[in-house]
């Protein structure tokens, strides 16, 4: 239901260390920890992709709302004037 999922597996025992889909991501460690090598880079990349995905979803939802409102004569649509 969520589309393709990418997994990061441990080559030694096959355990899952991270997973990512179109609108979610999860890791099995604390990337923000000072002891995580390249943790902040990992966290930045995951968040950048998730925020871009969320923005694209919001843009598509806005286009749908605007199209529906314009077709029904409703103006700019709810929430756009706030």
């Amino acid at each position: 239901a969520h589309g393709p999922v990418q997994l990061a597996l441990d080559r030694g025992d096959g355990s899952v260390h991270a997973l990512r889909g179109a609108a979610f991501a999860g890791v099995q460690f604390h990337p923000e920890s000072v002891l995580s090598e390249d943790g902040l880079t990992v966290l930045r990349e995951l968040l950048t992709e998730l925020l871009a995905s969320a923005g694209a979803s919001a843009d598509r939802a806005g286009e749908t709302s605007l199209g529906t409102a314009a077709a029904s004569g409703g103006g700019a649509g709810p929430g756009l004037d706030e």
Side-chain angles (χ1 to χ4, degrees):
H2 294 287
V5 176
Q6 296 175 318
L7 299 175
L9 304 172
D10 184 301
R11 292 181 183 171
D13 64 11
S15 60
V16 176
H17 287 232
L19 54 91
R20 174 174 43 195
F24 67 91
V27 293
Q28 293 296 323
F29 67 101
H30 290 276
E32 76 284 358
S33 170
V34 296
L35 299 177
S36 293
E37 188 175 322
D38 298 320
L40 291 179
T41 300
V42 170
L43 187 58
R44 181 175 40 254
E45 289 174 2
L46 287 174
L47 289 174
T48 299
E49 289 179 22
L50 287 172
L51 291 172
S53 174
S57 294
D59 287 345
R60 284 192 301 272
E63 289 171 5
T64 302
S65 296
L66 288 174
T68 302
S72 64
L80 294 179
D81 295 329
E82 296 178 7

